[in-house]
Amino acid sequence: MSRIFNFNAGPAALPLEVLQEVQAELLDFAGTGMSILEISHRSPAFEKVLQEAKEDIKDLLDLPDDYGIFFMAGGGSLQFSCVPFNFLTEGKVAAYADTGSFSDKAFQEAEKVGKAVKVFSSKPQGYDRVPRPEEVALPDNCAYLHITGNNTIEGTEYFTYPETGDVPLIADMSSEILSRPFPVEKFSLIYSGAQKNIGPAGTVLVIARKDFVAGRDKNLPVMMNYETMLDKDSLYNTPPVFAIYIVGKVAKWLKKQGGLAAMEAVNRQKAALIYNLLDTYPEFYKGRAAKESRSIMNVTFNLPTKELEAKFVEEGKKRGLGGLKGHRSVGGIRASIYNAMPLEGCEALARFMEDFHQNNK
Amino acid sequence: MSRIFNFNAGPAALPLEVLQEVQAELLDFAGTGMSILEISHRSPAFEKVLQEAKEDIKDLLDLPDDYGIFFMAGGGSLQFSCVPFNFLTEGKVAAYADTGSFSDKAFQEAEKVGKAVKVFSSKPQGYDRVPRPEEVALPDNCAYLHITGNNTIEGTEYFTYPETGDVPLIADMSSEILSRPFPVEKFSLIYSGAQKNIGPAGTVLVIARKDFVAGRDKNLPVMMNYETMLDKDSLYNTPPVFAIYIVGKVAKWLKKQGGLAAMEAVNRQKAALIYNLLDTYPEFYKGRAAKESRSIMNVTFNLPTKELEAKFVEEGKKRGLGGLKGHRSVGGIRASIYNAMPLEGCEALARFMEDFHQNNK
């Protein structure tokens, strides 16, 4: 076996320890005589998996009791529709902060449902940053403000969040959830596709104030009704058992690493190693994100030419650094350095960037 | 390792060979240096997985070229909403054949969207059978007829399908797809949650006439729009990579077993072993399904008392026969004997039933 450092943006690296555990118990889970892929979602063995995953995530986030945790399917893209279906009711206006390709997609799904407005957009500047709190002014009758906590494609991230007063704040945190502590009590609902920081593709973690999801319209499609998902404890139908099982293992691994404060320390250290190269050779490694919005999850930059970018990706691969190509919509280079990327991976990337600059400047 | 015979209804048994392959390559998939759980859904390695899965399923079904194959998330329950969202347009009436708990749920989701009628129901007889073709009369302006090909909870299955003429026939085949050949060209759209016959929980296989899904309303939630899912080749967003990968392996395994005709032969042989006991001891093993509708996937029956049923489940477990408890909504006993249940499993169950009758009659 020869494992590489995997800088893919999602699906992304998982902790090797987690993969090894999964491998070891793949034919017989917890003495059931069945694979985790074969057990009933209503069995005691899976019930334990689900409850422990929720408890561990609650611990990690220090989540107040008035929040519920549940798992859904369909990825962030189904959430883009679920949010307005549940909360963009007659006479209300949904507010969106447009900070990247995914926030724009979320906005478009809201427009199909009702009135939605962009209260901020960094699109004209190539999505180089997220708004400062004072830049976000909400409309009257605002149903909610939707933000994208970390912009995976563009490499920008919120470190302070807009003040919304009585207006519910909803966030897509698909690419930064559980990478650092944050003030969860500011949010009414948070959703996160698992395939970046917390698991494989196939499930979405939803964290929501219980009173916010209560009282939903009974005519919503049942699989989009947040109240039903919470009330049925993720078990209205057969949930994505395996993906939830992995999320649970990742949560335990995060606790073992020391929790979110410890993760933030190492994540910042990892990001600093790469951003340091961007700051040292700004004419060669041209960062895409404004400094105050630099994501500690996805570092995005361009090289002087497309040819050099292609060469960078190829030579990186030869040094065991995979997945460095930027998103097809924006090109350039992207290093995704989620929780599961070890410090050694970023050190190896930084050394490579130093050498590559030396040889190609 | 001590594996049992797993009679769970879903998630359900997978072929041991498939599980062993998954286990062997879990840390390094196809020389990528990454787990299948970590690779990009847009990587050449996954592209190959996806295309081969589609090709193998096409081969198995002998599917005409005017049908497309794609994978979605959210289970059968999201499909219950997708079908009316896509096809129950203004002025049309959706027809449902009500043959069990899941067809009733599908009907309820359609009622949220528009006008839906039940054109058949075996509910008053405890869902003991599916309709004969001549029993189904369609309303004027019928958008489609929706049937549930195999009723997992009740243990009934269609072996001849209603004639719908120009009206599109849509089927939920979650629990029997790829268990036997069937006239696929009668159907406009088929959906199948993977977790019974073809994979783990987490993805839905959709097979649809390309011209049927063309021209969908652009205002549908994007993740529910069948046209988008087909046009984007299951890759509009990050699909459930791992579940699709397993479905692909199961399809290859089915080809190795000789394809669907060979599977039907063994599946009928397996079912006959159990139904034979029901016919031999009808006062002790009381079959729930009318003979002409007996499912070859889920055999359901009651024993004279609830106490005997509990004892049956417990003693079965001790003999290495797991998951025999009926669905919580109907009770009794259910043996799910999907593709991955080997003949030996049904032989062991039949021996156990013979002994149990002898000792408890």
Side-chain angles (χ1 to χ4, degrees), chain A residues 1-4 6 8 10-16 19-20 22-28 32-42 73-81 85 105 109 111-112 195-196 199-202 218-224 235-242 246 322-323 327-328, chain B residues 1-4 6 8 10-16 19-20 22-28 32-42 73-81 85 105 109 111-112 195-196 199-202 218-224 235-242 246 322-323 327-328:
Chain A
M1 185 198 65
S2 131
R3 301 252 313 159
I4 63 163
N6 175 2
N8 271 315
L14 286 165
L16 181 58
L19 293 171
Q20 286 167 334
V22 174
Q23 186 178 43
E25 66 196 25
L26 197 77
L27 299 190
D28 183 4
T32 57
M34 299 179 251
S35 173
I36 181 71
L37 296 165
E38 304 174 303
I39 65 169
S40 169
H41 55 296
R42 303 203 190 273
S77 297
L78 185 61
Q79 297 296 314
F80 296 165
S81 298
F85 266 67
K105 284 186 172 178
E109 292 303 312
E111 275 197 305
K112 293 177 181 175
Q195 71 270 19
K196 297 170 194 290
K218 301 285 177 237
N219 273 323
L220 291 172
V222 65
M223 293 303 294
M224 295 173 76
L235 294 170
Y236 170 79
N237 74 337
T238 312
V241 169
F242 185 75
I246 306 259
H327 189 267
R328 66 212 147 92
Chain B
M1 188 197 63
S2 130
R3 301 249 316 159
I4 63 163
N6 175 3
N8 272 315
L14 286 166
L16 182 57
L19 293 171
Q20 285 167 333
V22 173
Q23 187 178 43
E25 66 197 24
L26 196 76
L27 299 190
D28 183 5
T32 57
M34 299 179 253
S35 172
I36 182 71
L37 296 165
E38 303 174 303
I39 65 169
S40 170
H41 56 296
R42 306 206 187 269
S77 297
L78 185 61
Q79 296 297 314
F80 296 165
S81 298
F85 266 67
K105 284 187 173 180
E109 292 302 312
E111 274 197 306
K112 294 177 181 175
Q195 70 272 19
K196 296 167 194 292
K218 302 285 176 236
N219 273 323
L220 291 172
V222 66
M223 293 303 294
M224 295 173 78
L235 294 170
Y236 169 78
N237 73 338
T238 313
V241 169
F242 185 76
I246 307 259
H327 189 267
R328 67 211 145 92

Side-chain angles (χ1 to χ4, degrees), chain B residues 155-345:
Chain B
T156 63
E157 183 171 359
Y158 285 84
F159 297 100
T160 47
Y161 299 99
E163 294 298 335
T164 59
D166 288 342
V167 172
L169 180 58
I170 295 179
D172 174 358
M173 292 197 176
S174 294
S175 46
E176 88 277 34
I177 191 79
L178 302 188
S179 68
R180 58 181 168 86
F182 69 97
V184 66
E185 64 285 353
K186 289 180 80 96
F187 296 86
S188 292
L189 187 142
I190 295 163
Y191 60 88
S192 305
Q195 70 272 19
K196 296 167 194 292
N197 255 312
I198 59 172
T203 193
V204 177
L205 169 67
V206 183
I207 298 162
R209 284 188 63 94
K210 292 173 187 168
D211 60 358
F212 183 57
V213 303
R216 292 307 99 213
D217 183 346
K218 302 285 176 236
N219 273 323
L220 291 172
V222 66
M223 293 303 294
M224 295 173 78
N225 186 320
Y226 287 123
E227 186 178 27
T228 303
M229 295 300 115
L230 176 64
D231 287 352
K232 298 289 184 183
D233 198 10
S234 311
L235 294 170
Y236 169 78
N237 73 338
T238 313
V241 169
F242 185 76
I244 295 171
Y245 153 82
I246 307 259
V247 171
K249 284 199 184 290
V250 169
K252 285 194 195 301
W253 179 83
L254 288 170
K255 286 175 86 171
K256 241 169 81 182
Q257 307 309 303
L260 300 194
M263 289 315 300
E264 175 166 15
V266 68
N267 283 333
R268 286 196 178 274
Q269 200 184 344
K270 283 152 52 183
L273 284 169
I274 318 300
Y275 284 119
N276 177 48
L277 273 297
L278 273 57
D279 292 336
T280 310
Y281 308 117
E283 301 302 315
F284 192 76
Y285 293 124
K286 303 162 195 269
R288 295 178 59 93
K291 277 197 181 181
E292 75 269 25
S293 292
R294 280 177 170 179
S295 167
I296 58 170
M297 296 284 101
N298 310 93
V299 182
T300 55
F301 54 92
N302 286 90
L303 270 70
T305 66
K306 280 194 197 312
E307 290 67 33
L308 273 174
E309 288 170 348
K311 193 176 172 192
F312 184 91
V313 171
E314 274 318 300
E315 291 194 5
K317 227 177 256 174
K318 286 181 195 144
R319 303 243 303 228
L321 310 170
L324 287 167
K325 201 171 162 186
H327 189 267
R328 67 211 145 92
S329 64
V330 297
I333 305 293
R334 172 172 56 179
S336 297
I337 51 174
Y338 303 119
N339 281 337
M341 172 59 63
L343 182 61
E344 297 72 47

Side-chain angles (χ1 to χ4, degrees), chain A residues 251-283:
Chain A
K252 285 194 194 304
W253 178 83
L254 288 170
K255 287 175 85 170
K256 242 169 79 181
Q257 308 309 304
L260 300 194
M263 288 316 300
E264 174 166 15
V266 68
N267 283 332
R268 287 196 178 273
Q269 198 183 345
K270 283 153 51 184
L273 283 169
I274 319 300
Y275 284 119
N276 177 48
L277 273 297
L278 273 58
D279 292 336
T280 309
Y281 307 117
E283 300 301 314

Side-chain angles (χ1 to χ4, degrees), chain B residues 68-79:
Chain B
I69 292 179
F70 49 97
F71 295 93
M72 292 175 70
S77 297
L78 185 61
Q79 296 297 314

